[in-house]
């Protein structure tokens, strides 16, 4: 594959952080808003989110959940009922203290997450075991007053979905938690072509107020991990805090077991860093706003609109009729070469070139964004070939990302080796840990690496890299 760079994009190797910002801003994915950390998602970026949201919403509903909407503002008294929860979110809360020009009797939090408002509502709705399970999801925005922000990856305001469920038994709640973790894993790999590892968070890394937290983690191109989705078994903590009770099957008072789970626009940042290159975005076909862009090539003499544009519009209509998302670039102020570079930067999976000679041969030229391979295809077979190409691109992006993650994963047996790898290579490190939070904190302080997940399944025994004591293998990485 020919290596190519964009004059508008800082090369990854020169400054990865600037490369990311250049890609986000110069491809019209997002822009900065007037309040620090509050980004404007531009139409091109929002179209990506809409495709993601549509697929995720389908998966959530297929697992038996329904959508609802709960208030943006949360009274301080409600938020403070669950002590661990409020302690975890207090530093990030934005508070409203004035409304309509008057001081409010009680400060209102702009939701950082909705457990408090939703659980207090469930306390009114649930009376009997027949009311369970409660399986509700919400699409909303939340606000967390972050100190360091970066578009999509960590913003003061972001868009997400958050599920909140109630169950009769602990086993049902745990099954729900793991079911939604699998939904996130499948979505990330099947739709975003972004491979993830999944597992349980340590006690120090779990969600504030949760019994257990599970997560999917993705490894970015710079060797740092991104928490891409979380699923929490909340136990009965929130039922205790918000007074949720029901009459069980023996007519005894009982408390339900609850879960919550969420994924956000952070996934867009993960997708960008998983596939982007020095020429800009590389979009997986399943979320690309335009799966195909048609670039009409003008004749050497004459107007492009005389012959080429009418045919290009016919081709666009034909391809749209075949279920493809197709854009025709009719901008007459730019030459084809400029358009090629522009759409390459924007990551459109396939470019279709159509000129007078192609029309004479009743064919067109297809160019893949990921590999930049060029092929000549009869117009009559273009729709079928494009479907094949897009499926191939989706599959091969995932394979390439998996190969990159595998090459960036190292198993170590000593703390010295751990520190050397983390300093030189980063990526995932598989290493033994004895379960001691103090050892976990020491490793974080000395290397900036945290335990991303304790892998699912049977534990792999491995001596703790710091103490040599009996332990199990966990996944470490520096993280966003």
């Amino acid at each position: 594959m020919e290596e190519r760079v964009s004059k508008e994009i800082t090369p990854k190797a020169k400054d990865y952080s600037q490369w990311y910002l250049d890609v986000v801003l110069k491809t019209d994915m997002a822009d900065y808003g007037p309040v620090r950390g509050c980004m404007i998602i531009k139409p091109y970026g929002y179209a990506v989110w809409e495709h993601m949201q549509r697929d995720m919403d389908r998966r959530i509903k297929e697992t038996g959940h329904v959508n609802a909407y709960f208030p943006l503002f949360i009274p301080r008294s409600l938020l403070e009922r669950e002590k661990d929860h409020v302690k975890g979110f207090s530093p990030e809360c934005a508070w409203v203290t004035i409304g309509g020009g008057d001081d409010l009797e009680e400060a209102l939090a702009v939701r950082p997450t909705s457990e408090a408002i939703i659980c207090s509502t469930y306390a009114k709705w649930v009376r009997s075991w027949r009311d369970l399970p409660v399986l509700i999801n919400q699409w909303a925005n939340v606000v967390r007053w972050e100190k360091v922000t970066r578009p999509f990856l960590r913003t003061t305001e972001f868009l997400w979905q958050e599920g909140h469920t109630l169950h009769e038994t602990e086993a049902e709640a745990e099954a729900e938690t793991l079911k939604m973790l699998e939904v996130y894993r499948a979505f990330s790999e099947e739709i975003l072509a972004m491979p993830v590892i999944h597992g349980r968070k340590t006690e120090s890394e779990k969600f504030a107020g949760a019994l257990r937290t599970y997560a999917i983690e993705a490894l970015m191109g710079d060797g740092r991990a991104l928490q891409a989705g979380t699923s929490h078994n909340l136990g009965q903590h929130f039922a205790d805090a918000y007074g949720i009770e029901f009459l069980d099957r023996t007519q005894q008072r009982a408390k339900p077991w609850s879960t919550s789970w969420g994924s956000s626009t952070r996934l867009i940042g993960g997708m960008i860093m998983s596939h982007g290159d020095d020429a800009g975005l590389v979009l997986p076909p399943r979320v690309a706003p335009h799966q195909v862009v048609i670039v009409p090539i003008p004749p050497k003499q004459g107007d492009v609109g005389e012959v080429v544009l009418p045919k290009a519009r016919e081709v666009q209509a034909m391809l749209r009729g075949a279920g493809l998302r197709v854009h025709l670039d009719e901008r007459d102020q730019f030459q084809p070469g400029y358009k090629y570079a522009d759409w390459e930067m924007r990551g459109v999976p396939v470019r279709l070139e159509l000129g007078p000679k192609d029309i004479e041969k009743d064919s067109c030229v297809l160019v893949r964004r990921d590999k930049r391979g060029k092929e000549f295809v009869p117009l009559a077979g273009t729709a079928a070939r494009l479907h094949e190409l897009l499926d191939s691109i989706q599959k091969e992006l995932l394979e390439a990302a998996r190969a990159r993650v595998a090459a960036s994963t190292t198993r170590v047996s000593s703390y010295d080796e751990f520190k050397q790898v983390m300093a030189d290579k980063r990526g995932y490190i598989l290493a033994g840990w004895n379960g001691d939070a103090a050892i976990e904190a020491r490793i974080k302080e000395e290397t900036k690496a945290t335990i991303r997940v304790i892998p699912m399944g049977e534990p792999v025994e491995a001596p703790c890299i710091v103490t040599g004591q009996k332990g199990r293998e966990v996944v470490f990485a520096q993280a966003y």
Side-chain angles (χ1 to χ4, degrees):
M1 182 182 75
E2 176 191 353
E3 289 298 326
R4 201 172 300 171
V5 298
S6 167
K7 294 179 180 178
E8 298 187 59
I9 306 291
T10 301
K12 282 184 178 182
K14 182 178 179 180
D15 187 335
Y16 191 88
S17 180
Q18 189 59 51
W19 167 82
Y20 175 78
L21 292 176
D22 287 348
V23 170
V24 168
L25 298 173
K26 294 181 179 180
T27 62
D28 285 329
M29 291 289 286
D31 199 357
Y32 295 114
V35 176
R36 185 185 63 83
C38 294
M39 67 176 172
I40 298 162
I41 305 177
K42 299 180 77 172
Y44 196 63
Y46 198 79
V48 172
W49 175 242
E50 286 179 311
H51 291 303
M52 292 168 59
Q53 184 185 41
R54 190 175 298 117
D55 188 88
M56 179 68 82
D57 193 62
R58 173 187 62 80
R59 291 169 190 259
I60 289 171
K61 287 173 179 171
E62 285 177 354
T63 52
H65 302 83
V66 293
N67 288 336
Y69 185 81
F70 293 84
L72 173 68
F73 300 117
I74 304 171
R76 182 190 290 272
S77 57
L78 281 186
L79 194 62
E80 291 181 343
R81 285 192 192 176
E82 216 291 338
K83 293 180 181 178
D84 288 340
H85 190 61
V86 72
K87 182 180 178 182
F89 280 100
S90 257
E92 299 175 346
C93 275
W95 294 97
V96 177
T97 58
I98 297 174
D102 299 323
D103 291 338
L104 300 179
E105 291 184 8
E106 181 178 12
L108 304 174
V110 182
R111 65 172 165 237
T113 180
S114 296
E115 279 77 12
I117 194 75
I118 291 178
C119 287
S120 63
T121 303
Y122 285 175
K124 296 187 294 182
W125 290 356
V126 174
R127 291 288 178 265
S128 162
W129 64 270
R130 294 182 178 86
D131 298 324
L132 300 174
V134 176
L135 305 174
I136 289 181
N137 175 66
Q138 168 174 251
W139 290 95
N141 62 336
V142 292
V143 170
R144 298 179 185 175
W145 217 259
E146 300 282 2
K147 293 181 179 178
V148 179
T149 62
R150 188 174 298 174
F152 293 115
L153 295 177
R154 190 172 294 277
T155 51
T156 301
E157 179 191 19
F158 55 90
L159 306 181
W160 76 347
Q161 58 73 213
E162 50 178 322
H164 298 270
T165 71
L166 294 181
H167 304 268
E168 278 189 81
T169 67
E170 181 179 9
E172 289 177 11
E174 183 71 2
E176 165 80 6
T177 308
L178 296 177
K179 177 196 298 180
M180 297 315 298
L181 183 72
E182 172 59 19
V183 166
Y184 291 151
R185 184 208 62 77
F187 171 85
S188 178
E189 298 191 346
E190 293 170 8
I191 303 303
L192 302 182
M194 184 171 73
V196 294
I197 55 170
H198 60 297
R200 182 165 58 88
K201 290 288 188 179
T202 64
E203 288 298 300
S204 62
E205 292 283 330
K206 73 179 183 181
F207 180 70
L211 183 64
R212 286 182 289 276
T213 287
Y214 300 89
I216 58 168
E217 297 275 336
L219 192 67
M220 302 294 97
D222 63 345
R224 288 198 281 177
L226 184 77
Q227 183 175 286
T230 51
S231 188
H232 316 287
N233 185 333
L234 302 177
Q236 294 176 307
H237 297 169
F238 286 83
D240 284 332
Y242 294 95
I244 312 174
E245 290 186 337
F246 67 98
L247 288 177
D248 67 16
R249 295 168 191 260
T250 65
Q251 296 302 297
Q252 300 298 309
R253 290 205 165 275
K255 293 171 182 173
W257 299 77
S258 60
T259 79
S260 68
W261 27 272
S263 63
S264 74
T265 40
R266 167 177 269 216
L267 285 167
I268 297 177
M271 176 199 66
I272 292 169
M273 291 195 291
S274 290
H275 307 303
D277 59 21
D278 284 349
L281 284 174
V282 177
L283 292 174
R286 290 177 184 168
V287 295
H290 312 310
Q291 294 171 317
V292 183
V293 61
I294 299 174
V295 178
I297 301 171
K300 290 183 179 179
Q301 292 182 339
D303 187 351
V304 69
E306 293 178 2
V307 177
V308 180
L309 268 182
K311 189 64 176 180
R313 292 184 184 121
E314 285 182 27
V315 173
Q316 181 186 34
M318 174 186 71
L319 297 179
R320 283 181 171 176
L324 296 164
R325 297 192 294 275
V326 184
H327 176 74
L328 172 59
D329 190 342
E330 297 190 51
R331 295 177 291 177
D332 59 7
Q333 69 270 39
F334 297 119
Q335 293 299 312
Y338 175 90
K339 294 178 181 180
Y340 296 166
D342 188 43
W343 290 113
E344 183 171 275
M345 184 174 70
R346 293 170 188 269
V348 175
V350 180
R351 182 175 76 241
L352 188 156
E353 301 171 7
L354 187 68
K357 292 183 179 179
D358 301 305
I359 294 172
E360 287 176 11
K361 298 175 184 176
D362 206 25
S363 68
C364 65
V365 178
L366 302 181
V367 183
R368 288 175 58 149
R369 168 62 178 86
D370 59 334
K371 294 184 175 180
R372 302 188 177 93
K374 180 179 289 192
E375 61 179 277
F376 297 86
V377 178
L379 285 177
T382 303
R385 181 57 185 147
L386 280 169
H387 279 294
E388 292 173 354
L389 269 180
L390 293 170
D391 286 344
S392 178
I393 291 168
Q394 185 79 30
K395 177 183 176 183
E396 290 174 32
L397 284 178
L398 177 59
E399 290 173 350
R402 280 179 171 157
R404 173 180 56 79
V405 172
S408 300
T409 301
T410 309
R411 179 174 278 110
V412 302
S413 55
S414 74
Y415 193 33
D416 285 342
E417 186 183 2
F418 181 103
K419 288 187 283 189
Q420 190 66 47
V421 171
M422 193 54 69
D424 296 344
K425 181 182 176 182
R426 288 205 292 217
Y428 288 141
I429 294 184
L430 308 180
W433 174 58
N434 65 355
D436 187 344
I439 297 298
E440 180 185 10
R442 175 184 165 186
I443 293 172
K444 181 178 180 179
E445 181 180 355
E446 293 177 356
T447 69
K448 297 182 180 179
T450 54
I451 297 174
R452 302 318 302 158
V453 290
I454 302 168
M456 306 292 287
E458 288 295 318
V460 176
E461 292 188 4
C464 177
I465 54 167
V466 176
T467 68
Q469 297 170 336
K470 182 179 179 180
R472 68 174 295 175
E473 191 172 82
V474 297
V475 182
F476 288 88
Q478 293 178 4
Y480 278 92

